[in-house]
Amino acid sequence: MIGSATGTQRIEDVMEGLTYTYAQKHGRLPDERGRAGLGWWAAQDTRPEKKTPCPLE
């Protein structure tokens, strides 16, 4: 599972940046609900682009 370990590290790296930005904007660290939301954004930001489907013809 080498791929998931690097994926997890990428999410953690993005999460760190999002948390920093949140703290700068709001003057505090995010609460549990806020961290969950930031985690979702971090996961979305690190997902690879979807491939264009091939036509069925």
Side-chain angles (χ1 to χ4, degrees):
M1 291 220 167
I2 293 171
S4 65
T6 57
T8 300
Q9 185 60 50
R10 282 187 299 217
I11 290 172
E12 289 174 359
D13 292 344
V14 171
M15 182 75 174
E16 185 176 326
L18 290 173
T19 301
Y20 177 80
T21 302
Y22 182 96
Q24 292 294 311
K25 182 176 180 181
H26 299 283
R28 62 180 173 79
L29 292 173
D31 59 9
E32 186 176 340
R33 185 175 179 192
R35 283 190 306 272
L38 293 177
W40 183 85
W41 279 110
Q44 297 304 308
D45 286 349
T46 58
R47 291 184 73 175
E49 295 291 323
K50 291 186 177 181
K51 295 178 183 175
T52 305
C54 297
L56 296 175
E57 302 164 346

